[in-house]
Amino acid sequence: MRIDGKALAAARREATAEAVQRRTEQGLPAPVLAVILVGEDPASQVYVRNKENACRKAGIEPRTWRLPADTAQTDLLDLIAQLNSDPAVHGILVQMPLPKHLDEQAVIDAIDPDKDVDGLHPVNAGRLASGLPGFVPCTPQGAIALLESAGLTDMTGLKAVVVGRSVLVGKPMAQLLLERNATVTICHSRTRDLASQVKDADIVVAAVGRPELIQGDWIKDGAYVIDVGINRVEGHLVGDVQTEEAEKHAAAITPVPGGCGPMTVQMLLENTLLAARRQEETAR
Amino acid sequence: MRIDGKALAAARREATAEAVQRRTEQGLPAPVLAVILVGEDPASQVYVRNKENACRKAGIEPRTWRLPADTAQTDLLDLIAQLNSDPAVHGILVQMPLPKHLDEQAVIDAIDPDKDVDGLHPVNAGRLASGLPGFVPCTPQGAIALLESAGLTDMTGLKAVVVGRSVLVGKPMAQLLLERNATVTICHSRTRDLASQVKDADIVVAAVGRPELIQGDWIKDGAYVIDVGINRVEGHLVGDVQTEEAEKHAAAITPVPGGCGPMTVQMLLENTLLAARRQEETAR
């Protein structure tokens, strides 16, 4: 079974739109997501446009700052400080990667953790690791929703293998699976015999960005496979998993494209709505 | 081979004492560790006295606040705020557990992360998960030092199994092993077939607090075993591992007591010295 990420994202966006609608009826403002895009990177421009469109469809107001590629670090930090202190702005997203002269970590650190709807701030990583409420990065949060949508609602005692240890995907993914009582193994480029790790897994999450690294016949019969990778090979997109072969063994698998991508955008919308709600609660 | 945690801690304390001595010769003050003990819990009193003694032997000045068991939350938070803003205090340690009427998480959150030498603050958990400098909890940091002292300096590609997923030990332990390029599996109370996980491990870290849960014959020949557990059974202390049987298979294993315990205290001293150095750098 292929898990339809587009359909799940559309259904959840509907629910988000309804929740925003109910807010409006109560006299609450639309959640506002500030988006900062520095420079002209074509892929980043596409991503930002997709996010803006998704926001609008859900009734969330995107406010985008398109800054020149030579923007100074201090100017960017000033803008973030201004957005942090603006009560009308609920979420702040800085589109990565930034031009090389800018210090990405310093920029992330400057965002108010309570407006960090991308879940990039170390404070949010720490809250996740400590079991405290915060913002969870969108991609792993979407991956959990995809597993649940495929019927895997109880992960207790299952063996989960996360391939990739990035701050944005692999590490928070491991935390989320651990919270759900899975036994979690984190593999990476230095792992010996990746095949035998994957062959043993009830849940496989591939997030390494290496086209079809995970061979289809490594997948255990009945396993659940989430393919986070999006790799461009000879003009078309492939994941980190050999999808067709893996599908013969897996109980469920996400396709590329149309799996994790749409859900990542949807979780951004849900995080923005959550940010608005939390800020209103704090203000009360 | 038994890893002698007492000897390693003593040798490192010597090095810490020398570093503090060199600071004194340069006209820098002794590092100061503020210790807060609330109530009369006998075990906590012993722990605090041990830490005070270890500090003094290394030339670190302990300043202990012994507060009555009925101390109000606001008074405790006021004291922490005062210690946070006191430039003469480099590290702050609140001895856990606190009496039940106090909110432990709120107390931890109140400590300045840059003085949080226990590494308990979510900001420090986040820094660790994000690969940023911060304070690492003392027990897992000591466990790494114990592995290295036994000759295991390159953990690349080794299979590490961490049994236990606590915020204080299991989770940061997994991060530290991952940083060192091990393939890391986190097991816990809901793990199915713990034996088969452990049997496959080159490195085993047991931190669950269940006496001799890890059977000796589960240990792979040549594995390195760190036993964090300290359990009182019929008047004497045993670890989470069946030490004698495990020793027949392991390349190296820590005893209980005399393994992780002394190193946890020593890492507190090293964290306090580090805190003093960092605060001096920031002040410059």
Side-chain angles (χ1 to χ4, degrees):
Chain A
M1 169 203 156
R2 295 220 179 179
I3 308 175
D4 188 341
K6 254 175 109 167
L8 180 62
R12 289 181 74 126
R13 191 165 63 205
E14 195 64 30
T16 304
E18 282 166 19
V20 171
Q21 178 62 32
R22 281 194 298 277
R23 287 170 53 87
T24 312
E25 289 162 13
Q26 289 163 27
L28 290 164
V32 170
L33 174 65
V35 179
I36 302 175
L37 173 60
V38 186
E40 317 271 316
D41 179 63
S44 291
Q45 289 182 323
V46 171
Y47 291 141
V48 166
R49 248 191 325 264
N50 285 347
K51 290 171 187 174
E52 290 174 319
N53 287 338
C55 277
R56 287 196 194 95
K57 284 183 188 156
I60 291 171
E61 185 191 327
R63 294 189 191 165
T64 306
W65 277 258
R66 290 184 163 77
L67 306 180
D70 63 352
T71 297
Q73 173 94 1
T74 50
D75 290 338
L76 181 53
L77 294 181
D78 283 350
L79 172 58
I80 292 171
Q82 178 199 316
L83 296 170
N84 281 344
S85 61
D86 183 348
V89 170
H90 303 103
I92 302 171
L93 178 160
V94 179
Q95 183 65 44
M96 301 292 172
L98 291 171
K100 279 184 189 151
H101 69 285
L102 295 170
D103 178 347
E104 280 190 0
Q105 191 63 51
V107 169
I108 291 168
D109 287 349
I111 299 171
D112 179 345
D114 295 329
K115 295 189 175 185
D116 168 40
V117 287
D118 251 353
L120 287 174
H121 198 288
V123 164
N124 281 316
R127 287 170 176 166
L128 179 59
S130 308
L132 301 169
F135 288 105
V136 179
C138 300
T139 299
Q141 217 184 323
I144 292 288
L146 288 159
L147 288 170
E148 289 175 343
S149 80
L152 192 63
T153 49
D154 184 3
M155 304 176 198
T156 302
L158 297 185
K159 288 176 88 164
V161 167
V162 177
V163 189
R165 54 177 161 174
S166 69
V167 173
L168 197 52
V169 184
K171 285 183 168 190
M173 190 74 229
Q175 298 283 359
L176 293 176
L177 290 163
L178 205 53
E179 262 180 19
R180 282 159 185 78
N181 294 321
T183 298
V184 181
T185 299
I186 307 168
C187 298
H188 45 78
S189 57
R190 313 301 291 271
T191 292
R192 293 179 194 158
D193 198 6
L194 179 60
S196 81
Q197 297 289 341
V198 172
K199 280 176 180 172
D200 224 23
D202 304 302
I203 301 168
V204 179
V205 180
V208 273
R210 289 182 55 191
E212 302 189 326
L213 172 74
I214 313 288
Q215 293 178 26
D217 60 2
W218 294 358
I219 302 299
K220 188 164 102 170
D221 285 337
Y224 290 75
V225 182
I226 301 291
D227 190 349
V228 177
I230 301 182
N231 312 285
R232 189 168 293 274
V233 175
E234 293 169 9
H236 62 279
L237 299 178
V238 297
D240 290 348
V241 182
Q242 289 181 337
T243 312
E244 271 185 42
E245 182 64 23
E247 201 179 5
K248 295 176 191 162
H249 306 280
I253 183 170
T254 57
V256 176
C260 288
M263 279 304 288
T264 295
V265 175
Q266 171 56 24
M267 297 325 292
L268 175 66
L269 306 184
E270 296 187 22
N271 274 352
T272 303
L273 175 58
L274 181 63
R277 284 177 174 158
R278 285 189 181 153
Q279 285 155 40
E280 285 152 8
E281 253 174 51
T282 309
R284 250 179 253 133
Chain B
M1 168 199 158
R2 295 221 179 179
I3 308 176
D4 188 341
K6 253 176 112 166
L8 180 62
R12 289 181 74 125
R13 192 166 61 205
E14 193 65 30
T16 303
E18 282 166 19
V20 170
Q21 178 62 32
R22 281 194 300 277
R23 287 171 53 88
T24 312
E25 288 162 13
Q26 290 163 27
L28 289 165
V32 170
L33 176 64
V35 179
I36 302 175
L37 173 61
V38 185
E40 317 271 314
D41 180 63
S44 291
Q45 290 182 324
V46 172
Y47 292 141
V48 166
R49 247 188 327 264
N50 285 348
K51 290 170 187 175
E52 290 174 319
N53 288 338
C55 277
R56 287 197 193 94
K57 284 183 188 157
I60 291 172
E61 184 190 326
R63 293 190 191 165
T64 305
W65 277 258
R66 289 183 164 78
L67 306 181
D70 64 352
T71 297
Q73 173 93 0
T74 50
D75 291 338
L76 180 54
L77 294 181
D78 283 349
L79 172 59
I80 292 172
Q82 178 199 315
L83 297 170
N84 282 344
S85 60
D86 184 347
V89 169
H90 302 104
I92 301 171
L93 179 161
V94 179
Q95 183 64 43
M96 302 291 173
L98 290 172
K100 279 186 187 147
H101 70 284
L102 295 169
D103 178 347
E104 280 189 1
Q105 190 63 50
V107 169
I108 291 168
D109 287 349
I111 300 171
D112 179 347
D114 295 329
K115 295 190 175 184
D116 168 40
V117 287
D118 250 354
L120 286 175
H121 199 289
V123 164
N124 282 315
R127 287 169 176 165
L128 179 59
S130 307
L132 301 169
F135 288 105
V136 179
C138 299
T139 300
Q141 216 184 322
I144 292 289
L146 287 160
L147 288 170
E148 289 174 345
S149 80
L152 192 64
T153 50
D154 183 4
M155 304 177 197
T156 303
L158 298 185
K159 289 176 87 165
V161 167
V162 177
V163 189
R165 52 177 161 171
S166 69
V167 173
L168 197 52
V169 184
K171 285 184 168 190
M173 190 74 229
Q175 297 284 359
L176 293 175
L177 291 163
L178 205 53
E179 262 179 20
R180 283 159 183 78
N181 294 320
T183 298
V184 181
T185 299
I186 308 169
C187 298
H188 46 77
S189 57
R190 312 302 291 271
T191 292
R192 294 178 194 160
D193 198 6
L194 179 61
S196 81
Q197 297 290 340
V198 172
K199 281 176 179 172
D200 224 23
D202 304 301
I203 300 168
V204 179
V205 180
V208 272
R210 287 180 56 190
E212 301 190 326
L213 173 72
I214 313 287
Q215 294 178 26
D217 60 1
W218 295 357
I219 302 299
K220 188 165 102 171
D221 286 336
Y224 290 75
V225 182
I226 301 291
D227 191 350
V228 177
I230 302 183
N231 313 286
R232 188 168 292 276
V233 176
E234 292 169 9
H236 62 280
L237 299 178
V238 297
D240 290 348
V241 182
Q242 288 180 337
T243 312
E244 271 185 42
E245 182 64 23
E247 202 179 3
K248 296 177 189 162
H249 306 281
I253 183 170
T254 56
V256 176
C260 288
M263 279 303 289
T264 295
V265 176
Q266 171 55 24
M267 297 326 292
L268 175 66
L269 305 185
E270 296 187 24
N271 274 352
T272 303
L273 175 58
L274 181 63
R277 285 177 173 157
R278 285 189 181 153
Q279 285 156 39
E280 284 151 8
E281 253 174 52
T282 308
R284 251 178 253 136

